[in-house]
Each structure stands twice: as C-alpha cells, then as structure tokens.
Amino acid sequence: MNKPDTPVASNFIRNIIDDDLAANKNDGRVVTRFPPEPNGYLHIGHAKSICLNFGIAAQYNGQCNLRFDDTNPVKENEEFVNAIKADVEWLGFEWDNLKHASDYFDELYNFAVELIKQGKAYVESSSAEEMREMRGTLTEPGTESPYRNRSVEENLDLFARMKAGEFDDGEHVLRAKIDMASGNINMRDPTLYRIRKVDHVRTGKTWSIYPMYDYTHCLSDAMENITHSLCTLEFEDHRPLYDWVLDELKTPAHPQQIEFARLSLEYTILSKRNLIQLVEDKHVTGWDDPRMPTITGIRRRGYTPAAIRDFCDRIGITKNDAWIEMAVLETCIRDDLNEHSPRRMAVIDPIKVVITDLPDGYTETLSFANHPQNEAFGRRDIAFTKEIMIDADDFSENPPPKYQRLVPGGEVRLRGSYVIKCEEVIKNDAGDIVELRCTHDPATLGKKPEGRKVKGVVHWVSATEGVTAEVRLYDRLFNIENPASANTLEDALNPQSMVIHKQCCIEASLADAKPEERFQFERLGYFVADRFEHTNATPVFNRTVTLRDTWAK
RNA sequence: UGGGCCGUCGCCAAGCGGUUAAGGCACCGGGUUUUGAUCCCGGCAUUCGGAGGUUCGAAUCCUCCCGGCCCAGCCA
C-alpha cells in the first residue's frame, strides 16, 4: 500500500512500534485490526482508524484483520456488515483475515468458567438499578454486592444455567471480582456477560448469554495475536480492565492497547446518534446522501479513496482533541481531482447568447484539450454555434468592482473560442434577462485581441448542441463549526446545503458519462455523475467541491 | 487530592537535553496562465498554556498553577 518513496508521517504510535521492533518484542511481528461494531455505517472518522490500522500493517510488513465486534445482537445486522466490508474495500484496503467476535463465543465462555473457578468472577443477581446504586459515584467508592462471595460451585452452576437459557433477560449477570472501591469505575466489578434471549446474526439461537465489549475485545485481540490494539481515547480508562482480563487468564499473547484521538471535523457531526437523527428526520435523503460524512455519502459526493487516504495522512495521529478544518479535506480532493479529472464545460443557470454577426445555423468545430497540463488526456471537439448558453452570474448589468465577466457593451473571452461583445440585453415583461445579443471578433480565435486587453474568460455550451442535465450543488450540511453544540441539530443545518438545478446545459461529450465518472466543470468545480441516479438519458451530476476561489464575491 | 488523559503559529502537526522550533492547511503578497483554477516564487512562532526550578544549555527533565477532554450501560 505504501510506496517506498512515500515517507510515512511520524507519530507516537509508530514511535512505540519502532521501539518494540528495536527491542524485538513480538518477534518483530506487527498485527493490527479494525474492529467495527456492525450497527451502522462507517464514516470519515472510521476512515482515520482504517488508514491507521491498515497503514501500519502495510508499513511494517505486518497484517491487519477486519473484525466485526458483534457481541450485542440487538443492535447488529447483516446489512451493516456488508456495507462496512464494501466501504473498507472501496477505501483501497485488503484485510488479512475476516473475523467476528462471535467466532470466539465458545472460547470466551470457557475463559469465563476459568475465571469463576479462580474466584475472579461471580454471578450477580441484583437488578441493573441496584447495581448502579452499589457502583458508587465518581467521587465515592462503591459497595460490594451481597452476591459477591457466592461459592465457586454456585457460580459455576448459575452461569451454566444462564447459558442454558433458564433465566430471563436481566435476572443475572456475570461480573469480574476486582475492586468496588477503585477510582476507575471500570474496575468496580464490571459486567462480563449478560443474558439476551435474542437471535444472533451469525450464531442464531445458540446463545442466550452474550459477552461484553471489555471482556471480549482483549481476548479476541489475544486470540488473533494482535500486537498493537489501537482504539480511541475514551477507552483509556478501560485499558486496566483489558490488561486485567489478559493477566488473570494468562493468555499466550498480551496485545498492547494504545489510544489515539478520534476525528472531529468542523461543520459536520460524526456521532452515530446524530447521524441516525439526520436520516430519520429526513434532513438528508439517506445514509448515502452526498452531504453525509459517511463513507458511502462521501463516495457519492465524488470523493476518491486516494483523497480520503491523503486526508488521513495529513491530519496525523495524536492524543490531542483536535478539530480539523473542512479546508483540509477539500484541499485533498481538489489536489486529486485537479490532477486526475478531465475538463468539461457545463452551464448551471443558462442565459441564451445570440452571436448576431454569425449566419443562422452557423456551426464551427473547435478542439479542446481535456486537461490543461497533461496532454495524455487527449482532446475533444466542441461545436461552437450561433446560439450558446453562458451562466447567469457571468453577466452583470451592475457589476461589482473588479468584475471580469460580461457587462453591457463589454467584451469577454469565450473559453477556447472567440472574444464577444455584448451589444444588447433583451428582457421580458417582468424585467428578467432572457437573452444577450452579442457580436464576435473573428480575429480572436486562438489569438489575443489587438489593441486592447480582454481579461475575463467565460465558459459556455452550444444552445443547440448541448444536452440538458440535472446538477446538484452541494455545500456543507451545517452552518456552525460544531453542530453538536447547537440547541438542536435543526438549528445548525445549512438550508442551502443542496441546491438542485434541473435545466442545466452541459456539453454533448458529457452525455456518455458513466455513474461515478468525475470531471472538472471549468470555472465551477469538480462534479461526479451520480452513482445511483445518473443515466445517459437523464444525466445527474453532483458537485463534489468548488474550485478554489480567491475572488471575493 | 475520585480516576485517566491532553495543552508547540488561525487549524492540524514534527520535535524526545545542544536544530535558524520541520511540514501541511489557511492567510498575505508577486510571477505565469484563454479556468478569478492549476503551477511557480516569497512572507507567515526570538518562541513552545503560565510561573518557578535543575542544567554550561530546556519545547524537551522536576515542582506548582491555569485551561480543556473522558469515565458512574446488563452499549461499543
């Protein structure tokens, strides 16, 4: 994955691994894993973790597993499993092993029995509320449960009967016997197993008890011989428990958990709860809405896997609670698309321009480079005709200062064509501009006009040869940097996040675009043919990102 | 004194006792340009949350203080 000549950014995790390697820890192996719970769609924050885990494995010639953390059957399903696999693959990564925490349910059960036999785990029969009361608070120690000192025999018997399905949800729970007075609440006899009499996607009705994350994750890591278990900062407090389980069970391997800061991106939200709300309240069209920060949404927006990987490299890995500016992500996609996408012309909000000094039916074939810096993109022909379309905001009767486009009586260059002069503005009864009548300077094709300077260049499409298309202009979904801090998500929404233009005029060569094919529409931005709704008969393009614009509008 | 963690340029981020304190983004110039794009060139932290201390020498070590984040699921 990493090219040898691409230096990998230094970060504290790579430093730890370098030290481990130098000390010959783990016999020089590096094994990581990306462990999503299949209870939702992956988003850009997951991409950070994916790039980290798979990137490190690639850099150190190691391995990276994709492991579904499927220990809570009430929240997980197959749809999410398949979507996650597709997203990881689309991002360009290949897992060495595909695993599920549920693969280890038998081993996990046996380990739990072992813990009970050692007197390190017991069956709790208090209610959830009672347990909460006994847990204490952040500043006060907890109190020990009356069930804490049950005999090993009784615990073994009860746990076996929990497994056998003799009890209902909530009647009992298996707990680790650690320290109810610990300053770390995770160590106050955490729950290891709970009763859940529901079917599991993979194990069906086999189990009526399911292991908790803290108990499962460390053991799964150990069984997969993971060397470095990378997770986000909120699990720092869980590390003592991770280590406790592995120490008490004397597993052959003891992976090292290392925590890094999760991604926070300005003008978007990444919490599952908020994303679900956007979908359920129909503020977006679905998980794959091009405005969503999900991988599938970003993909539909037109982002490339390479741009997302580049983004993950640029933001780095630390333990700082960092907020990344949207400009970083946008720069990544512009850099990629600038280099790799062919140029085209499209008019979003057309006004008709009639070149009055051309004969009726006039057509001239003009040759255009598909990329201004790379001849390998080839050339294409575009028909220049008497009637063309230009974008409404490329003409102004009352132009602001330094306006370089078409004005009454003024001249402008038609990109790749002639310089035209606006002679007359035709309006309807309502006063709307319906047509511009212009003349052209025949001496300006491929040449600078003589005796004067014409600064502006405007894109255009033949009114008679162009094709009608729908173009969706997307912008950031929220108007404030941290939408989660608003009173409600609705308050933070950007009402202009999607503006649809159905009567756009695009150059004819765009008619055979395939879904997900990307282009730069000159002077406008980068656009992608919609993955799901674009057809050659009814073209639909999504704006991925605008071009950088240093002209103050 | 509940426990854990974090503070280097507007936003990220290298740096691990001796460097002129990398780099990217953003921003500000200037040049090229038939995309107000791209590209190029230049500018952008005498200072590392603050105060003390150790040291010939501190962003890097120590102490205290200030600010911020996480934790009381039978979620992950």
Side-chain angles (χ1 to χ4, degrees):
Chain A
M1 185 96 341
N2 289 299
K3 300 177 192 82
D5 58 341
T6 311
V8 182
S10 163
N11 65 50
F12 78 100
I13 295 178
R14 290 180 212 270
N15 292 346
I16 289 170
I17 294 174
D18 288 339
D19 290 346
D20 289 346
L21 257 19
N24 203 239
K25 194 175 167 184
N26 305 311
D27 304 318
R29 287 177 310 113
V30 174
V31 186
T32 58
R33 97 274 90 113
F34 172 62
E37 181 186 18
N39 70 341
Y41 285 83
L42 259 29
H43 55 65
I44 184 84
H46 292 107
K48 177 178 179 180
S49 176
I50 291 168
C51 291
L52 207 220
N53 280 292
F54 283 93
I56 278 180
Q59 178 190 355
Y60 292 97
N61 260 304
Q63 297 204 327
C64 182
N65 295 344
L66 172 60
R67 182 169 74 226
F68 289 101
D69 233 321
D70 55 350
T71 58
N72 188 356
V74 306
K75 293 170 67 181
E76 299 150 6
N77 70 49
E78 193 80 43
E79 177 197 351
F80 294 133
V81 168
N82 292 328
I84 289 168
K85 285 196 259 186
D87 287 345
V88 173
E89 287 177 325
W90 180 76
L91 281 171
F93 297 104
E94 286 176 35
W95 47 85
D96 289 283
N97 298 287
L98 179 62
K99 298 289 189 180
H100 298 76
S102 55
D103 296 338
Y104 309 120
F105 280 174
D106 284 322
E107 288 90 336
L108 258 13
Y109 179 80
N110 293 334
F111 276 128
V113 169
E114 182 58 31
L115 238 26
I116 294 172
K117 286 180 179 168
Q118 289 178 28
K120 295 289 171 51
Y122 62 97
V123 173
E124 170 66 72
S125 303
S126 304
S127 68
E129 302 84 275
E130 289 167 328
M131 280 176 66
R132 185 178 348 108
E133 283 162 23
M134 288 187 283
R135 190 149 34 229
T137 69
L138 293 177
T139 53
E140 297 160 328
T143 52
E144 296 186 351
S145 163
Y147 301 99
R148 198 172 197 260
N149 293 308
R150 288 219 246 231
S151 69
V152 168
E153 292 67 33
E154 189 182 3
N155 283 321
L156 251 15
D157 173 62
L158 251 16
F159 190 50
R161 289 163 62 195
M162 284 166 66
K163 177 182 188 248
E166 287 188 29
F167 306 111
D168 290 329
D169 288 15
E171 281 193 64
H172 306 283
V173 99
L174 185 73
R175 285 232 250 179
K177 189 188 284 188
I178 308 180
D179 177 9
M180 287 307 292
S182 172
N184 181 347
I185 290 178
N186 294 293
M187 299 300 270
R188 317 237 264 229
D189 291 11
T191 299
L192 267 23
Y193 269 90
R194 76 290 219 188
I195 298 169
R196 279 268 196 285
K197 299 190 127 177
V198 296
D199 289 4
H200 184 284
V201 194
R202 305 194 81 240
T203 62
K205 297 182 191 307
T206 307
W207 295 89
S208 49
I209 54 172
Y210 293 93
M212 299 288 287
Y213 165 86
D214 283 308
Y215 175 71
T216 305
H217 205 90
C218 52
L219 288 168
S220 302
D221 283 345
M223 285 186 274
E224 287 175 25
N225 271 299
I226 300 299
T227 56
H228 302 270
S229 181
L230 314 180
C231 62
T232 43
L233 246 28
E234 66 271 25
F235 291 103
E236 278 179 313
D237 289 345
H238 296 239
R239 186 170 3 111
L241 179 52
Y242 183 105
D243 290 332
W244 183 90
V245 171
L246 296 182
D247 285 343
E248 294 302 333
L249 288 169
K250 298 174 181 61
T251 51
H254 190 138
Q256 179 181 6
Q257 174 177 306
I258 306 171
E259 310 85 11
F260 62 94
R262 62 190 324 146
L263 171 67
S264 300
L265 227 203
E266 289 184 351
Y267 297 101
T268 192
I269 40 109
L270 297 177
S271 87
K272 199 158 283 171
R273 180 178 58 84
N274 285 330
L275 293 174
I276 288 170
Q277 194 192 332
L278 288 175
V279 174
E280 287 184 347
D281 294 353
K282 307 242 189 285
H283 293 123
V284 294
T285 58
W287 290 95
D288 57 11
D289 186 296
R291 293 165 292 180
M292 288 285 273
T294 51
I295 301 298
T296 186
I298 291 171
R299 173 180 180 175
R300 196 170 170 197
R301 177 75 168 259
Y303 275 75
T304 60
I308 295 170
R309 283 188 245 117
D310 183 27
F311 173 72
C312 292
D313 285 345
R314 292 195 200 202
I315 61 177
I317 299 291
T318 66
K319 300 182 78 146
N320 300 339
D321 297 308
W323 276 84
I324 309 297
E325 293 178 342
M326 197 55 99
V328 180
L329 218 207
E330 292 178 345
T331 295
C332 291
I333 190 59
R334 286 192 186 111
D335 281 0
D336 187 12
L337 263 17
N338 175 52
E339 187 179 344
H340 297 112
S341 59
R343 315 286 120 132
R344 293 290 184 270
M345 291 202 291
V347 175
I348 305 295
D349 185 12
I351 324 187
K352 187 191 280 186
V353 171
V354 178
I355 318 289
T356 55
D357 54 352
L358 248 23
D360 288 350
Y362 180 85
T363 295
E364 179 176 359
T365 301
L366 268 15
S367 176
F368 279 69
N370 288 327
H371 190 112
Q373 281 87 33
N374 188 345
E375 289 180 14
F377 278 78
R379 305 186 70 82
R380 69 191 186 286
D381 288 339
I382 294 180
F384 174 66
T385 54
K386 181 181 175 76
E387 295 190 354
I388 60 170
M389 299 293 193
I390 66 167
D391 252 308
D393 60 7
D394 283 333
F395 173 78
S396 176
E397 287 188 288
N398 300 296
K402 297 190 181 171
Y403 189 77
Q404 305 180 357
R405 311 172 191 183
L406 195 59
V407 298
E411 285 187 304
V412 78
R413 159 77 65 183
L414 291 178
R415 167 114 251 236
S417 178
Y418 301 90
V419 168
I420 59 170
K421 181 176 184 184
C422 178
E423 308 283 2
E424 190 181 357
V425 180
I426 312 290
K427 296 181 181 177
N428 62 16
D429 295 341
D432 305 319
I433 298 168
V434 293
E435 182 180 312
L436 300 175
R437 302 183 73 81
C438 300
T439 52
H440 79 298
D441 180 347
T444 55
L445 185 63
K447 295 192 201 74
K448 290 198 192 312
E450 283 184 29
R452 70 215 127 107
K453 272 188 214 152
V454 173
K455 211 167 183 198
V457 178
V458 146
H459 59 278
W460 55 276
V461 172
S462 163
T464 41
E465 302 290 321
V467 172
T468 300
E470 175 172 329
V471 175
R472 299 170 179 170
L473 302 181
Y474 291 106
D475 196 357
R476 55 174 64 130
L477 228 199
F478 295 98
N479 271 332
I480 63 176
E481 292 174 1
N482 180 6
S485 70
N487 289 330
T488 68
L489 233 37
E490 286 82 355
D491 292 345
L493 286 168
N494 171 13
Q496 302 297 313
S497 63
M498 176 173 70
V499 177
I500 296 179
H501 291 261
K502 291 182 180 289
Q503 296 298 318
C504 304
C505 187
I506 63 177
E507 67 170 78
S509 70
L510 241 16
D512 357 278
K514 289 182 276 297
E516 295 203 281
E517 199 170 346
R518 302 175 180 90
F519 303 92
Q520 182 196 101
F521 289 176
E522 291 205 49
R523 301 209 312 129
L524 297 176
Y526 296 97
F527 291 74
V528 64
D530 189 77
R531 173 143 91 120
F532 303 117
E533 295 174 23
H534 171 87
T535 65
N536 293 155
T538 57
V540 178
F541 287 91
N542 302 326
R543 183 173 69 195
T544 306
V545 68
T546 60
L547 255 31
R548 190 161 166 268
D549 183 8
T550 49
W551 186 62
K553 284 195 172 177

